[in-house]
Amino acid sequence: MKNFIQSSIIVSLIFSALFSQVDSSASNKSSDRSVSPMIQIRYDNFANENFTPSSAIGMILKIDEDRYTGFDVNTSTNETRILMGWKWSMLGISVKEVTLPDDSIENVNMYSFGVKYGILDNMNAIIEYVLSGDTNTDDFLRLTVGVQF
């Protein structure tokens, strides 16, 4: 009985090795991946003298060659955003923590739309108009330089 079990295991290993497929089309290039991390440097309100730089990290999911979705988080301003894009256009829905004049913190809905332009292979520039859903926060322009991996 022991020999039968050993020979069954050996035969099944040989058949599985013979019929297994090697995927030689696997790629490590970032252009071929469907999920890519990204880092960004943002300049909120860059049209005025008091613009402030910040950084953001996130993930982009490619749906097809033209469309993508994803999210990013800006830790210095506590802004979390969901992204949607098609070719060069970009839409965003976000929530941001805003400190009010009485030192209370309020969550503000923000909506952004803009354009994305590729500078180098994995580097892009984004210009967005950000609409605030709150009377205490002004609308502003955002300039972003980002890198996808």
Side-chain angles (χ1 to χ4, degrees), residues 73-142:
V73 177
N74 188 338
T75 55
S76 62
T77 60
N78 292 334
E79 179 182 353
T80 304
R81 179 170 67 160
I82 296 173
L83 301 170
M84 297 158 281
W86 182 60
K87 293 188 180 183
W88 51 267
S89 61
M90 184 173 178
L91 297 171
I93 302 170
S94 63
V95 174
K96 182 178 181 177
E97 285 185 6
V98 175
T99 305
L100 299 176
D102 63 350
D103 289 333
S104 64
I105 296 176
E106 183 178 292
N107 290 325
V108 176
N109 297 327
M110 300 184 93
Y111 311 96
S112 62
F113 61 92
V115 295
K116 184 177 183 179
Y117 178 75
I119 300 172
L120 297 172
D121 270 347
N122 295 331
M123 188 175 187
N124 53 51
I126 302 167
I127 296 178
E128 297 174 274
Y129 183 73
V130 182
L131 298 164
S132 174
D134 183 40
T135 57
N136 297 319
T137 308
D138 294 331
D139 300 346
F140 58 90
L141 289 173
R142 174 184 287 158

Side-chain angles (χ1 to χ4, degrees), residues 11 13 18 22-23 29-30 32 49 64 90 111:
V11 168
L13 284 174
L18 288 175
V22 177
D23 185 12
K29 294 189 290 184
S30 64
D32 295 337
E49 293 177 4
D64 57 24
M90 184 173 178
Y111 311 96

Side-chain angles (χ1 to χ4, degrees), residues 44-53:
D44 288 351
N45 210 1
F46 77 95
N48 294 337
E49 293 177 4
N50 60 350
F51 69 90
T52 54

Side-chain angles (χ1 to χ4, degrees), residues 10-60:
I10 290 172
V11 168
S12 62
L13 284 174
I14 290 172
F15 275 112
S16 63
L18 288 175
F19 293 114
S20 65
Q21 296 178 357
V22 177
D23 185 12
S24 61
S25 65
S27 174
N28 290 328
K29 294 189 290 184
S30 64
S31 61
D32 295 337
R33 287 195 303 256
S34 60
V35 177
S36 300
M38 68 174 174
I39 57 173
Q40 298 175 334
I41 298 174
R42 292 181 177 170
Y43 299 95
D44 288 351
N45 210 1
F46 77 95
N48 294 337
E49 293 177 4
N50 60 350
F51 69 90
T52 54
S54 62
S55 60
I57 58 171
M59 298 290 279
I60 293 290

